[in-house]
Amino acid sequence: MNLSDMLGYADIQQLSRIATVYQCECNGHSKNDLIQSILSTVSRKDVFEAQISSMKLDEMRFLNSLLFESRDSFSLEELVARVQQSKFGELEPPAEEPPPQKKTKRTSKKKQAEAEAPKESGPREMISRFKHQGWLFNGVTGTNRYMFQVPQDLRTRFRDTLRKKFAAELHYTDEPQVYRDEQMLAQDDIYHLLHYIYHNEVQLAADGSMYKRFSGQILEKLAIQEELPSKGEWRFGYGRHFHHYPNRMSLLYDYCSYMKYFADNNLVLALSTIGEERLHNKPVNEMEQLYKFWLKLYKGPIPNLLALVHWMNSLAEQWVTVASLRKVLVPFIKPFYYDTADKVLDVRLIGMMVHLGMLRVGEHQEHGPVVRMTKMGRALIAGVSLEDQDRMFLY
């Protein structure tokens, strides 16, 4: 539903709060006057942009997490979790301590504790602010669940306004002399991985990983050369076999395992019937399936991955410098243990989107590293609608 529809369902108390935020001058006792005044004010470009400019960074992150979802409604618990994820541990000014109160005979211990306790400042406050601004509306669905919605037309306006704001900070360039494009290479390498397993007796260690001899031979057959992880290197969070194999190979191996293309038969890796069928018949939509799998797999360590991918798609229609993208996107990226926000951007986002054939990466003679979305990448993002955005666990 759009903003006008949701205002029509809102009670006069919520309408009055929204009108107060936007300083609307109207009859506060008339629901119709309140709705018309709010719509008139919110539709003004200067008012809308001023509201966005006044947002704090954690509010911007929270809003950003709602803009690209395929779903229309969210539970209170989901919104609280998203607000908590939007706080990256930045230092906040300490709350002022209330003045000490003298105990009297008439003051109970319970009242004394309530008076001394600091006022709550948490996720629900931010959700309330968004409600008062008319950006979130709540109601009960047919399943008797208390759900929240963002008006569809406001979602579109938020995306357009933020895109213009971000694009103004970016540095676009002409085409670099040299660039790398890996479109469809991942699909070809899935074939090479299965082909090797089919024609060789691949032995597994007790932990379920391939011995280095087999891993090294497989890497030699893949289009993109990677180095095996060094011994003792901390690697976790990005897949079941991420600590055994390099980034791209780990994704391909986990994907094949998830698709049940092969199985462990007494510590020997062998293709399944499904795997043999894949080996001899290339699926039409495999890159779409691999892209979906990557989103689900990496959503754990990077909760707002979907939004980051959409911003990359929107902001890198032309060749753009990685340095300027970094300034815009890094504030929205939460570090993951040993991965800094910069590493998440460079390796987990840009690097993997290049491996998926969604991004071209080049080296500009004057401006350094540059990237641009590929046609396949734009088609994948435009055509994929994930109904189940839950985090994927591999066991």
Side-chain angles (χ1 to χ4, degrees), residues 181-186 287 351-360 373-378 380:
D181 188 336
E182 298 183 19
Q183 289 184 77
M184 308 310 293
L185 291 183
M287 290 310 299
M352 295 310 295
M353 288 182 71
V354 171
H355 291 325
L356 289 167
M358 301 174 71
L359 270 180
R360 291 189 180 103
M373 290 294 297
T374 64
K375 288 183 178 180
M376 188 183 79
R378 296 183 65 78
L380 285 176

Side-chain angles (χ1 to χ4, degrees), residues 266-373:
N266 297 321
L267 295 182
V268 175
L269 205 60
L271 292 193
S272 64
T273 304
I274 302 173
E276 290 187 23
E277 185 179 340
R278 163 61 185 90
L279 182 63
H280 298 105
N281 300 286
K282 186 182 293 185
V284 177
N285 62 341
E286 187 158 44
M287 290 310 299
E288 180 181 324
Q289 293 175 350
L290 184 59
Y291 168 61
K292 289 181 179 182
F293 178 80
W294 172 68
L295 280 181
K296 290 185 177 182
L297 193 64
Y298 276 49
K299 188 177 173 65
I302 314 172
N304 62 335
L305 177 63
L306 182 65
L308 292 171
V309 168
H310 275 275
W311 281 127
M312 188 68 72
N313 180 49
S314 180
L315 299 174
E317 293 179 355
Q318 304 297 323
W319 286 104
V320 60
T321 65
V322 173
S324 62
L325 272 175
R326 188 183 311 281
K327 291 181 181 178
V328 169
L329 295 180
V330 159
F332 295 92
I333 300 176
K334 187 175 184 177
F336 179 71
Y337 292 95
Y338 299 101
D339 280 359
T340 63
D342 285 307
K343 185 175 181 180
V344 171
L345 175 67
D346 294 335
V347 181
R348 313 303 176 202
L349 182 64
I350 292 178
M352 295 310 295
M353 288 182 71
V354 171
H355 291 325
L356 289 167
M358 301 174 71
L359 270 180
R360 291 189 180 103
V361 60
E363 187 70 25
H364 197 280
Q365 190 173 358
E366 296 179 21
H367 308 295
V370 291
V371 293
R372 182 181 182 177
M373 290 294 297

Side-chain angles (χ1 to χ4, degrees), residues 97-334:
E97 295 184 2
Q101 295 184 357
K102 294 181 179 179
K103 290 185 180 180
T104 62
K105 292 182 180 179
R106 294 182 180 179
T107 305
S108 67
K109 290 183 179 180
K110 183 178 179 181
K111 289 183 178 179
Q112 182 72 19
E114 289 175 352
E116 292 175 356
K119 290 184 179 179
E120 246 186 66
S121 176
R124 292 171 187 267
E125 273 196 359
M126 187 182 296
I127 294 169
S128 293
R129 285 199 298 274
F130 272 57
K131 281 185 61 180
H132 296 163
Q133 289 171 310
W135 297 351
L136 273 178
F137 289 83
N138 59 276
V140 179
T141 65
T143 56
N144 294 325
R145 292 192 67 194
Y146 199 66
M147 305 295 283
F148 290 78
Q149 290 186 333
V150 181
Q152 192 59 46
D153 55 343
L154 281 191
R155 221 189 256 200
T156 302
R157 287 189 67 187
F158 280 128
R159 288 197 295 257
D160 292 343
T161 303
L162 288 174
R163 183 188 179 282
K164 291 176 183 176
K165 174 182 171 64
F166 293 156
E169 302 176 42
L170 297 179
H171 186 186
Y172 292 95
T173 70
D174 54 348
E175 184 173 295
Q177 293 180 336
V178 180
Y179 64 82
R180 192 167 88 245
D181 188 336
E182 298 183 19
Q183 289 184 77
M184 308 310 293
L185 291 183
Q187 182 169 276
D188 294 339
D189 280 347
I190 290 172
Y191 168 83
H192 293 306
L193 173 60
L194 298 179
H195 184 272
Y196 180 86
I197 295 172
Y198 182 74
H199 289 282
N200 295 272
E201 186 176 310
V202 180
Q203 298 176 357
L204 302 177
D207 60 4
S209 65
M210 292 184 290
Y211 285 106
K212 285 190 176 181
R213 176 166 64 91
F214 301 110
S215 301
Q217 289 175 356
I218 289 175
L219 281 171
E220 290 176 1
K221 295 182 178 296
L222 302 184
I224 304 301
Q225 298 300 306
E226 295 178 289
E227 296 291 332
L228 287 169
S230 58
K231 190 175 182 180
E233 182 182 349
W234 287 94
R235 289 173 64 82
F236 56 88
Y238 298 96
R240 179 182 177 185
H241 294 93
F242 185 74
H243 55 295
H244 295 304
Y245 311 129
N247 302 343
R248 182 176 180 271
M249 180 180 171
S250 171
L251 175 67
L252 299 182
Y253 191 95
D254 278 343
Y255 169 77
C256 291
S257 177
Y258 174 73
M259 297 296 290
K260 295 181 172 54
Y261 288 160
F262 47 64
D264 173 4
N265 295 330
N266 297 321
L267 295 182
V268 175
L269 205 60
L271 292 193
S272 64
T273 304
I274 302 173
E276 290 187 23
E277 185 179 340
R278 163 61 185 90
L279 182 63
H280 298 105
N281 300 286
K282 186 182 293 185
V284 177
N285 62 341
E286 187 158 44
M287 290 310 299
E288 180 181 324
Q289 293 175 350
L290 184 59
Y291 168 61
K292 289 181 179 182
F293 178 80
W294 172 68
L295 280 181
K296 290 185 177 182
L297 193 64
Y298 276 49
K299 188 177 173 65
I302 314 172
N304 62 335
L305 177 63
L306 182 65
L308 292 171
V309 168
H310 275 275
W311 281 127
M312 188 68 72
N313 180 49
S314 180
L315 299 174
E317 293 179 355
Q318 304 297 323
W319 286 104
V320 60
T321 65
V322 173
S324 62
L325 272 175
R326 188 183 311 281
K327 291 181 181 178
V328 169
L329 295 180
V330 159
F332 295 92
I333 300 176
K334 187 175 184 177

